[in-house]
Amino acid sequence: MYKALRIYASIALLISSIPAFAAEVTRVTLENGATVKLNDDFTWEYVILESQAKPDAAVPVTLPATVAAASTVENTAATITENAPNSATKETLTSSAIAQSALLKSTAKSGVKISFANSQWDDDGRLGLTFELSSNSPEHYVMIELEISLFADSGLLIKKEDVKAWQAIFRMPDSYLRKGQTRESRVFWIEGIDKKQWTKQLMSLKMGEMDSRM
């Protein structure tokens, strides 16, 4: 009996030691109109996206009058499947997020803040983005990943791009991002953005993996 109790106690201790994922507790609308999601791990984040289901345009398929060979049947079926109409979920910024778009142009994590600094276009129509990084962390960061979401003036998501906002040079401590420093990233060139649809410069930033040295 005592052995069984010890086993149960060990299992309970193991379960209690497993970290739980943050779950949403409630949502609050701020005075400026922005909506904030509060999590049970005492973190919060802006609610900026809403999903819209939009059917893709159907492509007409003309079937042959007679299908003689089995290979032709397979090819025809593949063509029908490929061109069949379907519905896709489009991510779109909420109206409040568009109204407060300046809040989305910066993000912070583990004592590091990244903010949108500048944009430019090259002769090939590529969009160039530059960011400012500042650190209040005792860690010396050598690599910081950043997810950039770009939205059209209508709020519709155009593209997501993952970049290394900061990449130090191997064995060169002077290139590390240190506490109290503010540095500018290199220019990140992004293709596939229509300049005419990006006049409001709508974007959101999210920091990913961070690698540091003591």
Side-chain angles (χ1 to χ4, degrees), residues 193-207:
I193 307 299
D194 187 347
K195 185 176 182 179
K196 296 179 180 179
Q197 296 183 4
W198 203 70
T199 62
K200 297 181 181 179
Q201 298 188 337
L202 297 177
M203 71 172 71
S204 69
L205 307 177
K206 182 179 180 181
M207 294 172 64

Side-chain angles (χ1 to χ4, degrees), residues 55 68 154:
S154 63

Side-chain angles (χ1 to χ4, degrees), residues 23-204:
E24 179 179 342
V25 176
T26 187
R27 297 191 180 193
V28 178
T29 301
L30 306 180
E31 293 182 358
N32 60 11
T35 301
V36 173
K37 180 175 69 174
L38 304 180
N39 301 320
D40 60 1
D41 63 348
F42 303 103
T43 61
W44 62 272
E45 56 187 296
Y46 288 110
V47 178
I48 64 171
L49 295 176
E50 58 187 4
S51 298
Q52 294 182 356
K54 296 183 178 181
D56 294 341
V59 179
V61 179
T62 302
L63 297 178
T66 303
V67 181
S71 59
T72 306
V73 174
E74 293 177 357
N75 293 335
T76 303
T79 303
I80 295 174
T81 302
E82 181 179 352
N83 294 283
N86 58 77
S87 60
T89 300
K90 306 295 184 180
E91 291 183 342
T92 306
L93 287 174
T94 63
S95 58
S96 61
I98 295 177
Q100 304 293 330
S101 59
L103 299 176
L104 310 181
K105 294 181 179 179
S106 64
T107 182
K109 180 181 177 182
S110 301
V112 175
K113 181 180 180 181
I114 300 181
S115 302
F116 168 65
N118 188 34
S119 67
Q120 57 184 295
W121 300 88
D122 68 1
D123 295 337
D124 295 326
R126 296 184 305 169
L127 172 62
L129 300 176
T130 308
F131 301 93
E132 182 183 87
L133 300 92
S134 59
S135 176
N136 192 33
S137 170
E139 302 284 341
H140 302 157
Y141 287 100
V142 296
M143 191 279 296
I144 302 175
E145 292 184 344
L146 180 68
E147 180 186 84
I148 309 169
S149 298
L150 299 172
F151 301 86
D153 291 347
S154 63
L156 184 66
L157 176 65
I158 304 175
K159 190 174 187 179
K160 287 186 178 182
E161 193 87 5
D162 293 321
V163 301
K164 292 182 179 179
W166 190 255
Q167 179 68 69
I169 302 174
F170 184 60
R171 291 184 178 178
M172 290 188 62
D174 290 344
S175 66
Y176 298 173
L177 179 63
R178 302 173 182 271
K179 183 176 181 178
Q181 289 183 333
T182 298
R183 298 201 179 192
E184 189 173 278
S185 74
R186 67 180 179 86
V187 180
F188 299 101
W189 295 102
I190 302 176
E191 299 180 349
I193 307 299
D194 187 347
K195 185 176 182 179
K196 296 179 180 179
Q197 296 183 4
W198 203 70
T199 62
K200 297 181 181 179
Q201 298 188 337
L202 297 177
M203 71 172 71
S204 69

